[in-house]
Amino acid sequence: MLFSLLLPVAAYSQKAYETIPYAARFNGQQIKLTFADGYIGASEVMVTKAGRKKKDLFIADQGFVGKDRQLKFSAYKTSSAAAGDTFVLTDIEEFYDELPKVIRCCYKKGGKRYSIRFIKQ
């Protein structure tokens, strides 16, 4: 009986991080970074191509920032993006007291590298 009384309390969970929107544009594409402050591994990148409603989702490869201060995002398995396309956030921290206004990124697409700047919205 005690178990059934405590079940609703155990089932309730609260998100332990806040999502902050960042945005960039690249070759007519709208790129949005949802930065998960408090659990960086829940961050994601969404690419919307000009004139199309379909979006490509990129998710973090790890749940933490590496020693190189980078976080890599790869295309989600149901995404139409090419398998080798990635986003790599550079010079980032696991935790911030104050989030940066700009986050730098390396976008690898079709064997080429591009520099992108995400701006806090």
Side-chain angles (χ1 to χ4, degrees), residues 35-92:
F35 191 83
D37 186 27
Y39 176 52
I40 202 161
S43 300
E44 62 184 33
V45 176
M46 186 76 68
V47 179
T48 305
K49 296 179 182 171
R52 295 183 57 194
K53 292 183 181 179
K54 185 162 172 98
K55 299 177 181 183
D56 292 327
L57 175 64
F58 292 76
I59 58 173
D61 287 357
Q62 301 180 44
F64 57 91
V65 175
K67 290 181 182 180
D68 55 2
R69 297 183 59 206
Q70 296 183 348
L71 184 63
K72 181 180 174 185
F73 293 81
S74 298
Y76 189 64
K77 59 187 172 186
T78 60
S79 176
S80 65
D85 293 357
T86 60
F87 287 89
V88 180
L89 302 183
T90 58
D91 296 324
I92 60 170

Side-chain angles (χ1 to χ4, degrees), residues 2-15:
L2 181 60
F3 176 76
S4 64
L5 291 174
L6 294 176
L7 185 61
V9 174
Y12 176 77
S13 66
Q14 189 172 5
K15 186 168 69 168

